Amino acid sequence: MAGLLFNAMTWGLSWWPMRQLHDAGLHPLWATAIIFAVASAAISWRSPGAWRELAGSPPLWGILLAAGTTNASFNWGVTAGDVVRVILLFYVMPLWAVVLARLVLHEPITRGAVLRVALGLAGAATVLWPTEPGRALAVAPVDLLGLLGGFSFAVNNILLRREAHRSGGGRGLAMFVGGCVVSTVLALMLQVDAPPPPGPWLAGAVAMGGVFLASNLALQYGVSRLKANVTAVIMLTEVLWASGSSLLLGAGVLTPQLLIGGGLILGGAALAALRP
């Protein structure tokens, strides 16, 4: 359990060092690329055969793309936007998971699944509902990053389930390399500012790479020893870490509208976690 709590805490608090790197002149896409390059190098050293498995297994490339999109979207979103709002929109994920599980894994859509979808949709609509009458849903670009991150995370989880027979090193390398590759490609395509000359920020990025790697290992340790529904509930504490720290440090605002919408979204996520 401690390993899962550490993983949730790492991701829940990751917005703060990402913003520190941004203040040092490092765009979150470049920061993500560097952080995950460090983690990829560490996994390559620990599992040298993982590269051979990744290169020869096209299904792992889907995990690479999905995980890379998740990390690029999430890190960019919590760096540029209201942390609480982005995190809550990210956790509309159970809605996407129901649809994807049906399309990819051919799982039936049960009454419980319909309820989770309804809660997710209602929560997202509440969060995005305009505060001024007569206006359309207030969807900002940073909101789309939260939604895209949640969608790609759902894709990542579905693909991980489908490819569960592959080695942990191969799947882990696919996810970390994805964070590096997708962020780098997006940074080049969008022509964001190049990283500043090496300085104190570089040590911070390398340290974050080590922390993310440690949190991933802690996640794998915990997942292998606890039931899946217990794991999912514990991982929801990421929302508490993120919202609590951001409210405390002034990086988010908790309005009644956000509180209601967030309650609906987390209700759907909790139902997904507690299902048999």
Side-chain angles (χ1 to χ4, degrees), residues 10 21 43 68 70 82 95 115 120 123 125 134 143 147 158 183 209 219 232 237 262-263 270 273:
T10 298
L21 292 174
I43 287 190
T70 297
D82 183 298
L95 184 160
L115 178 58
D143 295 333
L147 290 170
I158 292 294
S183 297
L219 175 66
T237 60

Side-chain angles (χ1 to χ4, degrees), residues 86-147:
V86 171
I87 287 285
L88 289 178
L89 290 174
F90 181 88
Y91 269 92
V92 178
M93 173 185 54
L95 184 160
W96 314 123
V98 168
V99 178
L100 290 167
R102 174 61 181 169
L103 295 176
V104 179
L105 302 177
H106 307 295
E107 293 184 358
I109 297 181
T110 63
R111 292 180 181 178
V114 172
L115 178 58
R116 295 195 298 273
V117 169
L119 287 173
L121 284 173
T126 302
V127 169
L128 299 173
W129 200 260
T131 55
E132 299 178 12
R135 297 189 62 183
L137 288 180
V139 183
V142 73
D143 295 333
L144 296 177
L145 288 174
L147 290 170

Side-chain angles (χ1 to χ4, degrees), residues 73-258:
S73 302
F74 180 85
N75 289 337
W76 194 357
V78 296
T79 302
D82 183 298
V83 174
V84 177
R85 185 178 173 102
V86 171
I87 287 285
L88 289 178
L89 290 174
F90 181 88
Y91 269 92
V92 178
M93 173 185 54
L95 184 160
W96 314 123
V98 168
V99 178
L100 290 167
R102 174 61 181 169
L103 295 176
V104 179
L105 302 177
H106 307 295
E107 293 184 358
I109 297 181
T110 63
R111 292 180 181 178
V114 172
L115 178 58
R116 295 195 298 273
V117 169
L119 287 173
L121 284 173
T126 302
V127 169
L128 299 173
W129 200 260
T131 55
E132 299 178 12
R135 297 189 62 183
L137 288 180
V139 183
V142 73
D143 295 333
L144 296 177
L145 288 174
L147 290 170
L148 176 61
F151 173 77
S152 53
F153 188 51
V155 174
N156 180 70
N157 290 344
I158 292 294
L159 294 179
L160 283 174
R161 285 168 59 188
R162 193 181 69 178
E163 303 302 320
H165 59 283
R166 301 189 185 278
S167 73
R171 286 177 291 153
L173 183 64
M175 288 189 287
F176 279 110
V177 170
C180 176
V181 171
V182 172
S183 297
T184 300
V185 171
L186 285 175
L188 294 174
M189 288 178 58
L190 298 175
Q191 298 182 338
V192 301
D193 292 338
W201 64 264
L202 183 58
V206 172
M208 282 191 69
V211 171
F212 275 126
L213 178 61
S215 73
N216 179 271
L217 295 176
L219 175 66
Q220 293 185 40
Y221 180 86
V223 165
S224 66
R225 286 163 175 78
L226 292 175
K227 293 181 179 180
N229 56 348
V230 175
T231 297
V233 172
I234 294 174
M235 294 310 296
L236 282 176
T237 60
E238 176 189 339
V239 179
L240 301 179
W241 286 106
S243 57
S245 61
S246 62
L247 292 173
L248 183 64
L249 298 175
V253 178
L254 189 61
T255 64
Q257 178 177 335
L258 201 61

